[in-house]
């Protein structure tokens, strides 16, 4: 690449055939080789030296941050988000959106990859209404939401899922509220992963096909409110509630 030797540290190593006259990074300056100088780069430092891998890490971080910003404002991203029903006002980007409510036939597991690009989303509701999402969103698509580290409120309604949903939800560290309404196929016997959510305060199960013997004691101790509506639960489940100190 550009004549650089394997043992040299040149600008070409972090970009294809890139030659820079000067790159300044804090107190570390690199001078790139011109057409007649391909043996390496001159370095001048005021303090201790910076290792090659340190500079490479900085370059990679900068490239990743730039790519993420570009992805958020990419026209294709905006078109697909609007197709799913996300309102993005003129002059705004997906990173400005903090609250979204979705419903409609355009939604399915795969489409949730676009929602994952709303990096600052705090409140997400996916509503199936009278069941128009049943069979379309079955849970695996929720894996796409794992990058929504700011998400605090998640509401899901009118879907067919399994208990695997709890594992998908448990990777969202800032969740405080989870609402499941008219979710078919969820027994609640494997709700243990929710214990990994350190900020979870409220869970609502309404018209959900829970088993009559759900062990609620595996929920986070920080839980302050548990709503179970139109769901038959047995005495064995009720007994486990006493192990949640903040209810």
């Amino acid at each position: 690449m550009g004549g650089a030797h394997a043992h040299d540290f040149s600008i070409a190593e972090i970009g294809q055939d890139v030659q820079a006259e000067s790159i300044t990074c804090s107190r570390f300056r690199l001078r790139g080789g011109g057409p007649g100088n391909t043996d390496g780069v001159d370095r001048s430092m005021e303090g201790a030296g910076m290792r090659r891998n340190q500079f490479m890490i900085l370059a990679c971080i900068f490239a990743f941050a730039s790519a993420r910003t570009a992805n958020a404002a990419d026209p294709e991203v905006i078109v697909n988000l609007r197709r799913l029903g996300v309102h993005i006002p003129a002059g705004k980007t997906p990173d400005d959106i903090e609250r979204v409510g979705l419903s409609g036939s355009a939604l399915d597991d795969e489409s949730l990859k676009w929602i994952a690009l709303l990096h600052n989303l705090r409140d997400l509701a996916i509503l199936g209404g009278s069941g128009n999402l049943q069979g379309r969103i079955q849970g695996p698509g929720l894996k796409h939401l794992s990058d929504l580290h700011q998400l605090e409120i998640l509401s899901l309604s009118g879907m067919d899922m399994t208990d695997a949903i709890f594992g998908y939800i448990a990777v969202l560290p800032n969740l405080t509220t989870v609402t499941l309404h008219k979710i078919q196929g969820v027994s609640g016997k494997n709700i243990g992963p929710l214990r990994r959510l350190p900020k979870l305060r409220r869970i609502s199960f309404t018209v959900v096909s829970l088993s009559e013997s759900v062990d609620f004691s595996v929920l986070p101790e920080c839980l302050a409110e548990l709503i179970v509506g139109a769901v038959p639960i047995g005495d064995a489940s009720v007994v486990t509630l006493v192990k949640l100190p903040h209810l």
Side-chain angles (χ1 to χ4, degrees), residues 9-177:
F9 173 38
S10 67
I11 298 301
E13 289 181 294
I14 58 172
Q16 295 185 349
D17 300 321
V18 174
Q19 291 184 344
E21 290 301 323
S22 178
I23 294 179
T24 303
C25 179
S26 185
R27 295 157 70 179
F28 181 55
R29 188 177 65 224
L30 302 180
R31 293 189 181 276
N37 179 12
T38 59
D39 292 332
V41 293
D42 297 329
R43 302 175 228 191
S44 64
M45 293 170 282
E46 296 178 9
M50 178 182 291
R51 294 187 182 91
R52 163 182 168 176
N53 62 339
Q54 290 176 310
F55 180 77
M56 295 291 285
I57 290 172
L58 287 173
C60 290
I61 292 174
F62 176 78
F64 174 80
S66 299
R68 175 170 172 161
T69 302
N71 286 341
D74 189 295
E76 182 186 10
V77 172
I78 294 176
V79 167
N80 278 284
L81 286 171
R82 286 175 172 164
R83 176 179 60 84
L84 297 176
V86 178
H87 176 61
I88 304 176
K92 300 292 185 179
T93 73
D95 281 345
D96 296 315
I97 307 302
E98 296 187 356
R99 184 177 182 181
V100 166
L102 302 174
S103 64
S105 58
L107 290 168
D108 56 22
D109 276 320
E110 184 62 20
S111 68
L112 295 183
K113 68 182 181 182
W114 301 108
I115 305 302
L117 296 177
L118 300 171
H119 300 128
N120 294 313
L121 195 64
R122 297 182 181 276
D123 185 346
L124 173 62
I126 304 177
L127 311 174
S130 59
N132 64 335
L133 291 185
Q134 289 182 346
R136 298 182 59 80
I137 295 183
Q138 298 182 341
L142 295 178
K143 292 180 180 179
H144 293 303
L145 305 184
S146 60
D147 288 335
L148 297 180
H149 301 303
Q150 305 303 317
L151 195 65
E152 299 173 358
I153 302 173
L154 177 63
S155 304
L156 304 174
S157 172
M159 305 174 195
D160 293 324
M161 295 189 176
T162 68
D163 279 9
I165 183 179
F166 300 116
Y168 304 142
I169 291 174
V171 300
L172 300 168
N174 282 312
L175 273 185
T176 63
T177 302

Side-chain angles (χ1 to χ4, degrees), residues 181-182 184 204-210 227-233:
H181 177 66
K182 290 186 177 179
Q184 302 301 314
S204 176
F205 296 109
T206 55
V207 197
V208 177
S209 56
L210 290 182
I227 299 174
V228 180
V231 176
I233 60 173

Side-chain angles (χ1 to χ4, degrees), residues 207-243:
V207 197
V208 177
S209 56
L210 290 182
S211 166
E212 292 189 5
S213 58
V214 177
D215 184 3
F216 291 115
S217 68
V218 301
L219 293 173
E221 290 187 359
C222 58
L223 194 69
E225 184 176 4
L226 174 64
I227 299 174
V228 180
V231 176
I233 60 173
D235 291 342
S237 295
V238 175
V239 170
T240 64
L241 294 174
V242 300
K243 298 181 181 180

